[in-house]
Amino acid sequence: MSELIPRYRHPDFSRPELVSAPVVRTEPAPADGVVPRNFHGTSNHPEYVHLGGGRWVLAPESRMDSVLIFDGGRLEVVEPRRVKKGQQVVVGRTENGEEGIYVHTDGFVSAEQEATDKFVFRSRGTRETPFSRSYDELYQVLRHDRDHGYIVWVLGPAVAFDQDSRAAMQGLIEAGYCHALLAGNALATHDLEGAYFRTGLGQNIYSQELQPLGHYNHLDILNEVRRAGSIAAAIEQLKIEDGIIYACEKKRVPYVLAGSIRDDGPLPEVIADVYQAQDAMRVHARRATTVMALATQLHSIAFGNMVPSYRIEEDGSVRPVFFYIVDMTEFSADKLANRGSAQAQAILTNVQDFMVNLWNNLKEG
Amino acid sequence: MSELIPRYRHPDFSRPELVSAPVVRTEPAPADGVVPRNFHGTSNHPEYVHLGGGRWVLAPESRMDSVLIFDGGRLEVVEPRRVKKGQQVVVGRTENGEEGIYVHTDGFVSAEQEATDKFVFRSRGTRETPFSRSYDELYQVLRHDRDHGYIVWVLGPAVAFDQDSRAAMQGLIEAGYCHALLAGNALATHDLEGAYFRTGLGQNIYSQELQPLGHYNHLDILNEVRRAGSIAAAIEQLKIEDGIIYACEKKRVPYVLAGSIRDDGPLPEVIADVYQAQDAMRVHARRATTVMALATQLHSIAFGNMVPSYRIEEDGSVRPVFFYIVDMTEFSADKLANRGSAQAQAILTNVQDFMVNLWNNLKEG
Amino acid sequence: MSELIPRYRHPDFSRPELVSAPVVRTEPAPADGVVPRNFHGTSNHPEYVHLGGGRWVLAPESRMDSVLIFDGGRLEVVEPRRVKKGQQVVVGRTENGEEGIYVHTDGFVSAEQEATDKFVFRSRGTRETPFSRSYDELYQVLRHDRDHGYIVWVLGPAVAFDQDSRAAMQGLIEAGYCHALLAGNALATHDLEGAYFRTGLGQNIYSQELQPLGHYNHLDILNEVRRAGSIAAAIEQLKIEDGIIYACEKKRVPYVLAGSIRDDGPLPEVIADVYQAQDAMRVHARRATTVMALATQLHSIAFGNMVPSYRIEEDGSVRPVFFYIVDMTEFSADKLANRGSAQAQAILTNVQDFMVNLWNNLKEG
Amino acid sequence: MSELIPRYRHPDFSRPELVSAPVVRTEPAPADGVVPRNFHGTSNHPEYVHLGGGRWVLAPESRMDSVLIFDGGRLEVVEPRRVKKGQQVVVGRTENGEEGIYVHTDGFVSAEQEATDKFVFRSRGTRETPFSRSYDELYQVLRHDRDHGYIVWVLGPAVAFDQDSRAAMQGLIEAGYCHALLAGNALATHDLEGAYFRTGLGQNIYSQELQPLGHYNHLDILNEVRRAGSIAAAIEQLKIEDGIIYACEKKRVPYVLAGSIRDDGPLPEVIADVYQAQDAMRVHARRATTVMALATQLHSIAFGNMVPSYRIEEDGSVRPVFFYIVDMTEFSADKLANRGSAQAQAILTNVQDFMVNLWNNLKEG
């Protein structure tokens, strides 16, 4: 494992208070989507439960505000709404082992402080916080995880409104830096609008000049894709040959488009049911090793709530999950930090500048 | 009609270019949810179509980015996704009558400039813009529309996080100042959390002290309501006796809770399908005479897109719809203004202060 | 002393490491305005120096980034630019006693945690943080310090742009809630403009309507006051009878107007030399027990840098200095917090709403 | 003249209402720093006065909120505080010629609309506004004005806090892209701190790690420069070899450091009297053809108030002055726009990213 990625240290289960910890308890769910009153709510930190005899099991792919199901010898982190009646739910609200539950918040920091520190921005970044070293490390992380990880991008529509940043994102996808893309109807619509009309919300994406009747363009592209029946069919029929969605289709990079009450259209692929959309996003949250969340408060916070702070690799080793939020305001990052997603690192800048910088640095490999 | 409410003036259809306007044209929708290529997209301004012989009809309850269906002699504004195959869709992209379509952007301003001006904030309000007169007029508008209009509140969760603002909103509902409430899962959850635990996201709503294990409170209230099966049943079983949702239930004020990918739970009443949620919100958009949108960018913009700028009263008269956005940042208001909802008026302040001020001024009638 | 005001506990100088601490060392300043290379830079916390024999002296009125002069048995906190050649400057950069200097950061928190906690906002307030309890305590603090403290207001021009907030500030001054006012040329100019023309930057302060040629008003009032030769003379000649500056003059509340490169005019009383202005502000910083800083980033941060976190009363007791920043954005508060002014408490709201609320609650005494 | 720079068209003085315009009137100033009551206040647009017989003279180097002195046949724009008793001040408050004063607001737009439009950003830029074309044009403007204009940079301290942006600014100065630099004590102090300690406010400017006792660094560098007596002497004695101030000294680029009440130190070159600082800044305002204002609200607005929107070249031709504000928030740009500096163009981004991008594009000439 690269020295970029700090080593993980399991808790010391030989400590007396953990040796004497009871076996974890469970209670059956009283109904579908309802959990026992004393349920244990998970964090996004590594959480262990004691199965007895000193055997502690690490919950895979934990996330915030879910529960632990322990059924048939298998431990799983599940959203309460997905729990089925009768499933055995871990109960107990302590985190120090006294009910057989141990939350390990410092697995990456103790022995490897130096290595870890490298990834920590100033604790309270403001718009004056500089980023040059952070950028250097970000480039290394992305190069590493392109080949040995799973990079998930969460994009707001601003990325598609500028020719250069849109081209940068296309380049990153084509170069293998994106394993999954999460967005809403607007990002995909405006990206396709850019491909077909060279506009974003009716403005030329290069010159930013408003086009005559340009406010129709996003409605027209929505209508065209709906007429074609799918994005893939529309790309072919409309001879679309560039952009973010085009690159995903060409490189078979999966994307999830989650619906929102602001949507026009929507595109046929947009998932109208937000809880089904959460499930589809969760598939990628389980695999993510680095998350790049750009210019979307709603999706960044939603995905931040479902991403673990760690990942268990196939060989059983544990690594951190990096989470970068790129936005103009402190709000999203503060909000995630307040809710426990302490690993979120904020880069406060214009996402279009960010994308262009990033691609300039990564495009030569 | 009160002098608060500016009088509306229909266009002068005796002007030569309108006298000579052709009859509006329609084409059938080629498939469900697909419209003809040359469809006319609506604004939220009053729009008229020419039926021939100098008869112009005003579209009722127009909204942004929809189409006009003219079937069976009845003109209706419909979202493209709801159009059925074969329905007759108005086509044409001009707005000056030359295709039989006329968009009337200054119906409220010409003769009554003085009266109208009273409702206009400085064109580009910043955080230094003062509001004392605006407040006085807002109080008058709300008193008027309590009895003669339809006031829709669009609320973000911040309103429920403070004891005083939560109580103010409850007071406003009980006093008849709220005809419909639009919100998300979070507002309702934290309001019920406030009622049951006296906390908002685990913090005491009066002292703001974090409660021990308080971060479980919103998960617990979600679990309790899901166990009860409905908000109404939970209010009874949990003996909830105050708050925003309680007041809506007690006063039978309809509320729409729209789902989002950020939701925990959700509460049973939350509408998971965002397009069904849009339809439910649209029911109130058609009736609204004043909209109060507080501390929620997503819902404010979503609802702003679906509210007409005018309303046809039962007696056929036309009045403006007032739309106030109360938020800490210029972003939402600017965004709505950029998309054409020019009538949105921004009040830049902390919503909790705003609510307390408002209720202090309205509670004595 | 009121229970509102937490008790102060001196350090325990009987602790072995402090008993064995050396006597503090000084070196002479090498030139006017230049300090010895190893100078000790002060914080705004209570700082003690060891004079020998276990006698530790608390520096009076400490502030950030100054030095300790120990001359003739008297300890004083002085800005480096004001140090005279040959004055004895305390040297040493440790804070734990090992060089005879001890910085006491938790004098107010240990025994009185409960009392103190009442004054602590959530550590990382955002625009969603509620304030109702904070307001209640603020009212109590202001009532207490009106009679037993020294309340300094630091005002940006926004307070004068609105009729209601301007009247509220006038009321507070007249009711004894303001012992000194710090501001810039703009606040005073626009307040006088409000008194003479009923406008602020040309807009009517009640209706916010732009007046014809209203952009001349602030230039005209500047010209009139300059013609009169002083604010006091202008108030008499122009028959000014309301406002913030009027109330200060009438109640003989001292005010400091500091110049800035943005100024028009300026008014005759504005101090053109910013370091003389700092000195004039510092006079009030030494006496302040509560600071209310509203809507001015520049003056808030400047004054925050010069206010101690504590005050030694005449009877020798020590109390905290409260510092409230009221602004629309997190920026000022974060900035002060990053520079060590941890006692700064942010209230994020529109200052005009804030003023009206405050006066509504305080005007009945 | 390059096609980048739109051609200027003088007003058509043969229009009847201008032909019949009276000769402009003046009145003597009643005292030093006091102007006649009916004084004409200038804008930053081209302003003409009628001397009789159809002879109109264009005021050179106009600025906002000053007056026109017409003495000895020479027309000059002067701040009211600098007017001497008895000087002849132009009076009249109309702008259409009826008092012999004509303000020409559209000299650059009429005939050359296409060319001009290129420089106009979207009227109400938000954080989602893209900039790629604007950047391309900015590069061309800077290349042009390096050789044929006068580029003034107005810098906040953020530019010096990051190694890459600091190096970019040094590069721009060395390559001739900066004819004058305006800043405060903080920018110069932190730039010199970066040169001597490799930190900015105690944080390593590359790694952003806090250095031990790093908060002393800016105080130590201030003390060292004050000891040396001047920045130039300190650069030599401390063997400083990089940075923004170093580059200015080496290339003999003039810089103005204006004092503020937030300053520590200050550096010896800082101008303590803000009105003297205004005068020093005004020297460069008169010559500016392009202004780059980065990350400083105070200095941007101050300089924006004193920069004309046009410049009369030595050959008598008139060209526009470009004014770019680069900042994270809309506030500065909105504020300038509200006060009439309509030519200010906002680029909303992190200034460090901006600087790196800019230098990457300009460094090859």
Side-chain angles (χ1 to χ4, degrees):
Chain A
M1 185 176 283
S2 153
E3 70 168 33
L4 257 183
I5 313 293
R7 189 187 303 275
Y8 180 73
R9 306 216 307 179
H10 288 280
D12 176 5
F13 288 115
S14 66
R15 281 155 49 198
E17 68 273 25
L18 295 182
V19 166
S20 65
V23 172
V24 73
R25 284 197 318 111
T26 63
E27 289 180 18
D32 282 5
V34 181
V35 291
R37 287 222 161 88
N38 194 33
F39 70 91
H40 175 73
T42 54
S43 69
N44 66 357
H45 294 295
E47 304 209 355
Y48 295 79
V49 299
H50 185 207
L51 303 187
R55 197 156 72 86
W56 292 80
V57 177
L58 172 59
E61 303 146 359
S62 188
R63 55 156 288 170
M64 289 173 64
D65 296 339
S66 286
V67 297
L68 293 165
I69 300 292
F70 187 60
D71 256 351
R74 193 157 154 276
L75 188 66
E76 200 181 0
V77 177
V78 179
E79 292 80 2
R81 68 180 160 81
R82 301 179 65 200
V83 171
K84 294 298 174 200
K85 178 173 178 171
Q87 281 189 311
Q88 293 295 317
V89 179
V90 168
V91 293
R93 296 196 162 181
T94 60
E95 306 188 334
N96 60 356
E98 64 185 82
E99 292 172 288
I101 304 163
Y102 188 80
V103 180
H104 191 40
T105 56
D106 56 358
F108 295 112
V109 291
S110 46
E112 311 270 349
Q113 191 61 52
E114 309 79 33
T116 313
D117 259 2
K118 294 200 306 178
F119 293 91
V120 179
F121 287 82
R122 195 157 64 164
S123 63
R124 205 167 181 176
T126 73
R127 61 191 75 150
E128 289 182 357
T129 305
F131 298 115
S132 58
R133 179 168 183 180
S134 305
Y135 281 149
D136 289 347
E137 291 169 347
L138 172 60
Y139 305 147
Q140 294 178 53
V141 165
L142 289 174
R143 284 200 189 90
H144 178 276
D145 279 5
R146 176 188 50 186
D147 302 324
H148 307 101
Y150 193 85
I151 306 172
V152 179
W153 291 75
V154 186
L155 296 187
V159 180
F161 282 156
D162 177 72
Q163 172 174 279
D164 292 344
S165 69
R166 184 171 169 271
M169 188 68 220
Q170 177 179 348
L172 287 162
I173 296 167
E174 291 174 348
Y177 285 104
C178 173
H179 299 96
L181 174 68
L182 310 182
N185 185 61
L187 178 278
T189 299
H190 295 303
D191 176 65
L192 294 168
E193 178 191 348
Y196 193 58
F197 292 106
R198 316 316 300 171
T199 62
L201 261 181
Q203 289 185 292
N204 183 295
I205 57 174
Y206 172 62
S207 70
Q208 304 312 322
E209 282 163 10
L210 274 171
Q211 302 302 297
L213 288 177
H215 61 286
Y216 271 102
N217 290 358
H218 78 282
L219 301 175
D220 282 342
I221 194 75
L222 281 166
N223 198 39
E224 289 303 320
V225 181
R226 289 171 68 92
R227 181 189 295 261
S230 74
I231 289 175
I235 285 176
E236 193 172 320
Q237 291 172 24
L238 303 177
K239 302 194 195 315
I240 283 173
E241 291 185 332
D242 62 33
I244 298 167
I245 297 298
Y246 165 82
C248 285
E249 287 281 345
K250 189 176 75 171
K251 301 290 287 188
R252 300 189 187 283
V253 170
Y255 56 92
V256 175
L257 304 179
S260 110
I261 53 172
R262 279 177 58 181
D263 295 347
D264 287 313
L267 294 169
E269 281 77 3
V270 172
I271 303 174
D273 181 307
V274 290
Y275 309 114
Q276 289 178 18
Q278 284 184 341
D279 294 345
M281 293 166 74
R282 184 81 206 282
V283 168
H284 301 291
R286 292 169 185 269
R287 301 185 62 185
T289 58
T290 291
V291 179
M292 303 294 299
L294 277 74
T296 163
Q297 191 175 303
L298 174 66
H299 288 79
S300 294
I301 296 175
F303 199 59
N305 285 344
M306 60 175 78
V307 171
S309 66
Y310 64 96
R311 179 170 157 73
I312 309 177
E313 303 278 24
E314 283 180 20
D315 64 0
S317 65
V318 179
R319 60 160 279 180
V321 174
F322 300 120
F323 197 116
Y324 294 88
I325 293 184
V326 186
D327 212 327
M328 288 292 278
T329 70
E330 295 88 343
F331 188 67
S332 297
D334 278 5
K335 193 139 189 173
L336 272 181
N338 271 337
R339 303 213 171 168
S341 291
Q343 94 271 32
Q345 299 172 14
I347 296 178
L348 300 175
T349 191
N350 182 296
V351 291
Q352 292 152 356
D353 284 350
F354 174 83
M355 288 303 300
V356 171
N357 265 345
L358 189 65
W359 183 227
N360 277 344
N361 277 278
L362 290 179
K363 69 183 165 192
E364 281 139 40
Chain B
M1 184 176 283
S2 154
E3 69 168 32
L4 259 182
I5 313 293
R7 190 188 303 273
Y8 179 74
R9 305 216 310 178
H10 289 279
D12 176 5
F13 287 115
S14 67
R15 280 157 47 202
E17 67 273 26
L18 296 181
V19 166
S20 66
V23 172
V24 72
R25 285 199 316 111
T26 63
E27 289 180 18
D32 282 4
V34 181
V35 290
R37 284 218 163 91
N38 194 32
F39 70 91
H40 175 72
T42 53
S43 69
N44 66 357
H45 294 295
E47 304 209 353
Y48 296 78
V49 299
H50 186 207
L51 303 187
R55 198 158 71 87
W56 292 81
V57 177
L58 172 58
E61 303 146 359
S62 187
R63 55 156 290 170
M64 290 172 63
D65 296 339
S66 285
V67 296
L68 292 166
I69 299 292
F70 187 61
D71 254 350
R74 191 157 155 276
L75 188 66
E76 199 182 1
V77 178
V78 179
E79 293 80 0
R81 66 180 161 79
R82 300 179 67 200
V83 171
K84 296 298 172 200
K85 178 172 177 170
Q87 283 189 310
Q88 291 297 318
V89 178
V90 169
V91 294
R93 296 197 163 180
T94 58
E95 308 188 333
N96 59 355
E98 66 185 80
E99 292 171 289
I101 304 164
Y102 187 80
V103 179
H104 190 40
T105 57
D106 55 359
F108 295 112
V109 291
S110 47
E112 310 270 350
Q113 192 61 50
E114 310 78 32
T116 314
D117 259 1
K118 295 200 306 179
F119 294 90
V120 178
F121 288 81
R122 195 157 64 166
S123 66
R124 205 166 179 178
T126 74
R127 62 192 74 153
E128 289 181 358
T129 304
F131 297 114
S132 58
R133 179 169 182 178
S134 306
Y135 281 150
D136 289 346
E137 290 170 344
L138 173 59
Y139 305 147
Q140 294 178 52
V141 165
L142 290 173
R143 282 200 191 92
H144 177 276
D145 279 5
R146 175 188 51 186
D147 302 324
H148 307 102
Y150 193 85
I151 306 172
V152 180
W153 291 76
V154 186
L155 297 186
V159 180
F161 281 158
D162 177 72
Q163 172 174 276
D164 291 345
S165 70
R166 184 172 169 271
M169 190 66 220
Q170 178 179 347
L172 287 162
I173 296 167
E174 292 175 349
Y177 285 103
C178 173
H179 299 97
L181 174 68
L182 310 182
N185 184 61
L187 178 278
T189 299
H190 294 305
D191 175 64
L192 293 168
E193 178 191 348
Y196 193 58
F197 292 108
R198 316 314 302 172
T199 62
L201 261 182
Q203 288 186 293
N204 184 295
I205 56 174
Y206 174 62
S207 70
Q208 303 313 322
E209 282 164 7
L210 273 171
Q211 302 301 297
L213 288 176
H215 61 285
Y216 271 103
N217 290 358
H218 78 283
L219 301 175
D220 282 344
I221 194 75
L222 282 165
N223 199 37
E224 290 302 321
V225 181
R226 290 172 67 90
R227 181 188 294 261
S230 75
I231 289 176
I235 284 176
E236 192 172 323
Q237 290 172 26
L238 303 177
K239 302 192 196 318
I240 282 173
E241 293 185 332
D242 62 31
I244 299 166
I245 296 298
Y246 165 81
C248 285
E249 287 280 345
K250 190 177 73 170
K251 302 289 286 187
R252 300 189 186 285
V253 170
Y255 56 91
V256 175
L257 304 178
S260 111
I261 53 173
R262 279 176 59 180
D263 294 347
D264 287 312
L267 294 169
E269 280 77 3
V270 172
I271 303 174
D273 182 306
V274 290
Y275 308 116
Q276 289 178 18
Q278 284 184 341
D279 294 345
M281 294 165 74
R282 185 80 206 283
V283 169
H284 302 291
R286 291 170 185 269
R287 302 184 61 187
T289 58
T290 291
V291 179
M292 303 293 300
L294 276 74
T296 164
Q297 192 173 304
L298 174 66
H299 288 78
S300 294
I301 296 175
F303 198 60
N305 285 344
M306 61 177 77
V307 172
S309 66
Y310 64 97
R311 179 169 157 72
I312 308 177
E313 304 278 22
E314 284 181 19
D315 65 0
S317 65
V318 179
R319 61 161 279 179
V321 174
F322 300 119
F323 197 117
Y324 295 87
I325 294 185
V326 186
D327 211 328
M328 289 292 279
T329 69
E330 295 87 342
F331 188 67
S332 298
D334 279 3
K335 195 139 188 171
L336 272 181
N338 271 336
R339 300 210 174 171
S341 291
Q343 93 272 31
Q345 299 173 12
I347 296 178
L348 301 174
T349 190
N350 181 296
V351 290
Q352 293 153 356
D353 284 352
F354 174 83
M355 288 303 300
V356 171
N357 267 344
L358 189 63
W359 183 225
N360 277 344
N361 277 280
L362 291 180
K363 67 183 164 193
E364 282 140 39
Chain C
M1 182 175 286
S2 153
E3 69 168 32
L4 257 183
I5 313 294
R7 188 187 304 275
Y8 180 72
R9 306 215 311 178
H10 288 280
D12 177 5
F13 287 115
S14 66
R15 280 156 47 199
E17 67 274 25
L18 294 182
V19 167
S20 64
V23 172
V24 73
R25 285 198 318 111
T26 63
E27 289 179 18
D32 281 4
V34 180
V35 291
R37 285 222 162 86
N38 194 32
F39 71 90
H40 174 72
T42 54
S43 69
N44 66 356
H45 294 294
E47 304 210 355
Y48 296 77
V49 299
H50 186 206
L51 303 186
R55 197 157 71 88
W56 292 80
V57 177
L58 172 58
E61 303 147 359
S62 187
R63 55 156 287 169
M64 289 173 64
D65 295 340
S66 285
V67 298
L68 292 165
I69 300 293
F70 187 60
D71 255 351
R74 190 156 156 278
L75 187 66
E76 200 181 0
V77 177
V78 178
E79 292 79 1
R81 66 180 161 80
R82 302 180 66 201
V83 171
K84 295 296 174 202
K85 178 172 179 172
Q87 281 189 311
Q88 292 295 317
V89 179
V90 169
V91 294
R93 297 199 162 179
T94 58
E95 307 189 332
N96 59 357
E98 67 186 80
E99 292 171 290
I101 303 162
Y102 187 80
V103 180
H104 191 41
T105 56
D106 55 358
F108 295 110
V109 290
S110 47
E112 310 271 348
Q113 191 61 52
E114 308 80 34
T116 313
D117 259 1
K118 295 200 306 179
F119 294 90
V120 179
F121 287 81
R122 194 157 65 166
S123 65
R124 205 168 182 177
T126 73
R127 63 192 74 152
E128 289 182 358
T129 305
F131 297 115
S132 57
R133 178 169 183 177
S134 306
Y135 281 149
D136 289 346
E137 290 168 348
L138 173 59
Y139 305 147
Q140 294 178 53
V141 165
L142 290 173
R143 283 201 190 90
H144 178 275
D145 279 5
R146 175 187 52 183
D147 302 323
H148 307 101
Y150 193 85
I151 306 172
V152 180
W153 290 75
V154 186
L155 297 187
V159 180
F161 281 156
D162 177 72
Q163 170 174 278
D164 292 343
S165 70
R166 183 170 170 273
M169 189 68 219
Q170 177 180 348
L172 287 161
I173 295 167
E174 292 175 347
Y177 285 104
C178 173
H179 299 96
L181 175 67
L182 311 181
N185 184 60
L187 179 276
T189 299
H190 294 304
D191 176 63
L192 294 168
E193 178 192 350
Y196 194 58
F197 292 106
R198 317 314 302 171
T199 62
L201 261 181
Q203 288 186 291
N204 183 294
I205 57 173
Y206 172 62
S207 72
Q208 305 312 322
E209 281 163 9
L210 273 170
Q211 302 301 297
L213 288 175
H215 61 285
Y216 271 102
N217 290 358
H218 77 283
L219 301 175
D220 283 342
I221 194 75
L222 283 165
N223 198 39
E224 290 302 319
V225 181
R226 290 172 67 91
R227 179 188 295 260
S230 73
I231 289 175
I235 284 177
E236 194 172 319
Q237 291 172 24
L238 303 177
K239 303 195 196 314
I240 281 173
E241 293 184 331
D242 62 33
I244 298 167
I245 297 299
Y246 165 81
C248 285
E249 286 282 344
K250 189 176 73 170
K251 302 289 287 186
R252 299 188 187 283
V253 170
Y255 55 93
V256 176
L257 303 180
S260 112
I261 53 173
R262 278 175 60 179
D263 293 348
D264 287 312
L267 295 169
E269 281 76 3
V270 172
I271 303 174
D273 181 307
V274 290
Y275 309 115
Q276 289 177 19
Q278 283 184 343
D279 294 346
M281 293 165 73
R282 185 80 206 287
V283 169
H284 302 290
R286 290 170 186 269
R287 302 185 62 188
T289 57
T290 291
V291 179
M292 302 293 299
L294 277 73
T296 162
Q297 192 173 302
L298 175 65
H299 288 78
S300 294
I301 296 175
F303 198 61
N305 285 345
M306 61 176 76
V307 171
S309 66
Y310 64 96
R311 179 171 158 71
I312 308 178
E313 303 279 22
E314 286 180 19
D315 65 1
S317 66
V318 180
R319 60 159 280 178
V321 174
F322 300 119
F323 197 116
Y324 295 87
I325 294 184
V326 186
D327 212 328
M328 286 294 278
T329 70
E330 294 88 343
F331 189 67
S332 298
D334 279 4
K335 194 138 188 172
L336 272 182
N338 271 339
R339 302 214 172 168
S341 291
Q343 94 272 31
Q345 298 171 13
I347 296 179
L348 300 174
T349 191
N350 183 294
V351 291
Q352 294 152 354
D353 285 351
F354 175 82
M355 288 303 300
V356 171
N357 266 345
L358 190 63
W359 183 227
N360 277 344
N361 277 279
L362 290 180
K363 69 182 163 192
E364 281 139 40
Chain D
M1 183 175 284
S2 153
E3 70 168 34
L4 257 182
I5 313 293
R7 189 187 303 274
Y8 180 74
R9 305 218 307 182
H10 287 280
D12 176 4
F13 288 114
S14 66
R15 280 155 49 201
E17 67 273 26
L18 295 181
V19 166
S20 65
V23 173
V24 72
R25 285 199 316 113
T26 63
E27 291 180 18
D32 282 4
V34 181
V35 290
R37 283 220 163 89
N38 194 31
F39 71 90
H40 175 73
T42 53
S43 69
N44 66 357
H45 294 294
E47 304 209 354
Y48 296 78
V49 299
H50 185 206
L51 303 187
R55 196 159 70 89
W56 292 81
V57 177
L58 172 59
E61 303 147 1
S62 188
R63 54 156 289 169
M64 289 172 65
D65 295 338
S66 285
V67 297
L68 293 165
I69 300 292
F70 186 61
D71 256 349
R74 193 159 153 275
L75 188 66
E76 199 181 359
V77 178
V78 179
E79 293 80 1
R81 66 179 162 80
R82 301 180 65 200
V83 171
K84 295 297 173 202
K85 178 173 178 170
Q87 282 189 311
Q88 292 297 318
V89 179
V90 169
V91 294
R93 298 198 161 178
T94 57
E95 308 188 332
N96 59 356
E98 65 185 82
E99 293 171 290
I101 304 163
Y102 187 79
V103 180
H104 191 40
T105 56
D106 55 357
F108 296 112
V109 291
S110 46
E112 310 270 349
Q113 191 61 53
E114 311 78 32
T116 314
D117 258 1
K118 294 199 306 180
F119 293 90
V120 179
F121 287 81
R122 195 157 64 166
S123 66
R124 207 166 180 178
T126 73
R127 62 192 74 150
E128 288 181 359
T129 304
F131 297 115
S132 58
R133 178 169 183 180
S134 306
Y135 281 149
D136 288 346
E137 291 169 346
L138 172 60
Y139 305 147
Q140 293 178 53
V141 166
L142 290 173
R143 282 200 191 90
H144 178 274
D145 279 4
R146 175 187 52 186
D147 302 324
H148 307 101
Y150 193 84
I151 306 172
V152 180
W153 291 75
V154 186
L155 296 187
V159 179
F161 282 156
D162 177 73
Q163 172 174 276
D164 292 344
S165 71
R166 184 171 170 271
M169 189 67 220
Q170 178 179 347
L172 287 161
I173 295 166
E174 292 175 348
Y177 285 104
C178 173
H179 299 97
L181 175 67
L182 310 182
N185 184 61
L187 179 275
T189 300
H190 294 305
D191 176 63
L192 293 168
E193 177 191 349
Y196 193 57
F197 292 107
R198 317 312 303 170
T199 62
L201 260 182
Q203 289 186 292
N204 184 295
I205 57 173
Y206 173 60
S207 71
Q208 304 312 321
E209 282 164 9
L210 274 170
Q211 303 301 296
L213 287 176
H215 61 286
Y216 271 102
N217 290 358
H218 78 283
L219 301 175
D220 282 343
I221 194 73
L222 282 166
N223 199 37
E224 290 302 322
V225 181
R226 289 172 67 91
R227 179 188 297 260
S230 74
I231 289 174
I235 285 176
E236 191 170 325
Q237 291 173 24
L238 303 177
K239 302 193 195 319
I240 282 174
E241 293 184 331
D242 62 33
I244 297 166
I245 296 299
Y246 165 82
C248 285
E249 287 281 346
K250 191 176 73 172
K251 301 290 286 187
R252 300 189 187 282
V253 170
Y255 55 92
V256 175
L257 303 179
S260 111
I261 53 172
R262 278 176 59 180
D263 293 348
D264 288 313
L267 295 169
E269 281 76 4
V270 172
I271 303 174
D273 181 307
V274 290
Y275 308 116
Q276 290 178 18
Q278 284 183 344
D279 293 346
M281 293 165 75
R282 184 82 205 282
V283 170
H284 302 291
R286 290 169 186 271
R287 303 185 60 188
T289 57
T290 291
V291 179
M292 302 293 300
L294 277 72
T296 164
Q297 193 174 301
L298 174 66
H299 288 78
S300 294
I301 295 174
F303 199 60
N305 284 344
M306 61 176 77
V307 171
S309 66
Y310 64 98
R311 180 171 158 70
I312 307 177
E313 304 278 23
E314 286 178 19
D315 65 359
S317 66
V318 180
R319 61 161 278 179
V321 175
F322 300 119
F323 198 116
Y324 294 87
I325 293 184
V326 186
D327 212 327
M328 288 291 278
T329 69
E330 293 88 343
F331 189 67
S332 298
D334 278 3
K335 194 139 188 171
L336 273 181
N338 270 337
R339 302 213 172 168
S341 291
Q343 94 272 32
Q345 298 173 13
I347 297 179
L348 300 174
T349 190
N350 182 296
V351 290
Q352 294 152 355
D353 285 351
F354 174 82
M355 288 303 300
V356 171
N357 266 344
L358 189 63
W359 182 227
N360 277 344
N361 278 279
L362 291 180
K363 68 183 164 192
E364 280 140 40

